[in-house]
């Protein structure tokens, strides 16, 4: 149980276009999800907290107008990278609290490459 | 939020027991200690969580001294497939508290 499905696993897009990444909780409801990005050989960096039915809260330095987060249902949170640029190329990962247990379960990640 | 400090990397050989220590000097009373494993190009995977003393599951043990300012993840008889980055996190009791990853420990298991 407590599986988080993230899609797509990898995406290549042209500079200036937008890309949407989905994160679904398959067998549980998640009122809160977290979005991270990770650069090669670096640790995960928290970008924002996604809250079902309300606005996401962003970490300092993360542009909310560039990284749009929508958490419209209890099982789906989306991250849209708008007007993507090569420097947005990274590994994006979502997570949700494990149900009935401590810790968090993570999606498999999305490798975004902007060309 | 409690900051964690871990060794950047460790080497081991197949079959050995590996102990990775994490320091978290400013851990709060309600905080739990959680360890995750991450393989390249994958999301982290939950390994174990504890509050005090010792916790054991099918893959690892977690040792936490009385002052809780550090913790040690113990992996018995590692194999090559245990080569990964291991993260120690301090998490609030409320699951909706956001948390931050430290640098992690890159474990290299050699044949």
């Amino acid at each position: 149980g407590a599986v988080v499905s993230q899609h797509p696993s990898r995406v290549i897009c042209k500079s200036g276009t937008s890309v949407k990444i989905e994160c679904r909780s398959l067998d549980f409801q998640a009122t809160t999800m977290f979005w991270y990005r990770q650069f090669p050989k670096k640790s995960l960096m928290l970008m924002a907290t996604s809250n079902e039915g309300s606005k996401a809260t962003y970490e300092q330095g993360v542009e909310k107008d560039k990284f749009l987060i929508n958490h419209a249902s209890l099982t789906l949170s989306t991250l849209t990278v708008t007007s993507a640029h090569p420097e947005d190329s990274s590994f994006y990962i979502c997570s949700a609290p494990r149900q009935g247990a401590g810790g968090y379960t993570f999606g498999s990640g999305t490798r975004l490459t902007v060309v | 939020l409690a900051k964690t400090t871990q060794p950047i990397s460790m080497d081991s050989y197949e079959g050995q027991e590996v102990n990775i220590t994490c320091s978290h000097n400013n851990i709060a009373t309600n905080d739990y200690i959680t360890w995750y494993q991450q393989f390249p190009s994958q999301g982290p995977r939950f390994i174990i969580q504890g509050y005090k003393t010792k916790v054991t599951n099918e893959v690892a043990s977690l040792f936490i001294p009385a002052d809780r300012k550090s913790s040690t993840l113990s992996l018995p008889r590692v194999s090559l497939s245990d080569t990964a980055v291991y993260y120690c996190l301090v998490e609030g009791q409320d699951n909706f508290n956001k948390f931050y990853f430290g640098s992690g420990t890159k474990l290299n298991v050699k044949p």
Side-chain angles (χ1 to χ4, degrees):
Chain A
V3 175
V4 170
S5 175
Q6 188 171 343
H7 179 80
S9 58
R10 58 179 63 238
V11 57
I12 301 173
C13 71
K14 291 184 177 181
S15 187
T17 61
S18 296
V19 172
K20 179 184 285 187
I21 302 170
E22 294 187 348
C23 184
R24 294 180 183 273
S25 54
L26 295 185
D27 48 3
F28 67 102
Q29 295 180 333
T31 57
T32 300
M33 290 187 178
F34 302 94
W35 287 94
Y36 293 82
R37 66 188 298 181
Q38 185 176 33
F39 292 107
K41 299 188 184 300
K42 299 294 184 181
S43 185
L44 284 77
M45 183 183 75
L46 180 65
M47 298 176 66
T49 302
S50 174
N51 304 298
E52 187 272 332
S54 64
K55 292 183 178 180
T57 55
Y58 291 81
E59 293 299 299
Q60 188 173 7
V62 177
E63 299 176 60
K64 61 180 182 181
D65 294 330
K66 180 170 186 60
F67 298 100
L68 300 179
I69 291 174
N70 184 278
H71 196 149
S73 77
L74 288 171
T75 59
L76 175 64
S77 175
T78 61
L79 168 67
T80 300
V81 182
T82 63
S83 186
H85 289 94
E87 57 265 31
D88 298 323
S89 298
S90 189
F91 191 55
Y92 293 86
I93 309 168
C94 64
S95 75
R98 295 172 76 225
Q99 298 302 297
Y104 294 78
T105 185
F106 290 81
S108 54
T110 298
R111 174 75 59 194
L112 171 63
T113 303
V114 184
V115 298
Chain B
L1 293 172
K3 179 181 177 180
T4 60
T5 303
Q6 307 173 230
I8 296 297
S9 65
M10 293 181 67
D11 290 334
S12 180
Y13 290 93
E14 282 191 292
Q16 288 186 331
E17 177 185 78
V18 171
N19 296 309
I20 307 174
T21 298
C22 176
S23 66
H24 26 79
N25 292 318
N26 59 337
I27 188 170
T29 302
N30 291 334
D31 289 342
Y32 282 71
I33 300 149
T34 313
W35 286 79
Y36 296 88
Q37 175 192 57
Q38 187 184 28
F39 296 113
S41 297
Q42 294 185 28
R45 182 178 73 97
F46 174 92
I47 300 174
I48 196 167
Q49 184 181 71
Y51 183 80
K52 61 181 180 180
T53 62
K54 177 183 176 182
V55 179
T56 297
N57 62 21
E58 62 276 9
V59 298
S61 294
L62 178 59
F63 299 91
I64 305 168
D67 65 6
R68 304 200 327 121
K69 294 184 182 298
S70 67
S71 60
T72 300
L73 174 71
S74 181
L75 304 173
R77 299 180 298 281
V78 295
S79 63
L80 295 176
S81 62
D82 291 318
T83 294
V85 178
Y86 292 82
Y87 293 98
C88 158
L89 272 76
V90 172
E91 300 174 2
Q93 190 173 23
D94 180 353
N95 275 347
F96 296 170
N97 285 340
K98 57 185 179 182
F99 54 97
Y100 301 91
F101 280 78
S103 59
T105 298
K106 176 65 191 307
L107 173 65
N108 298 301
V109 180
K110 304 175 183 179

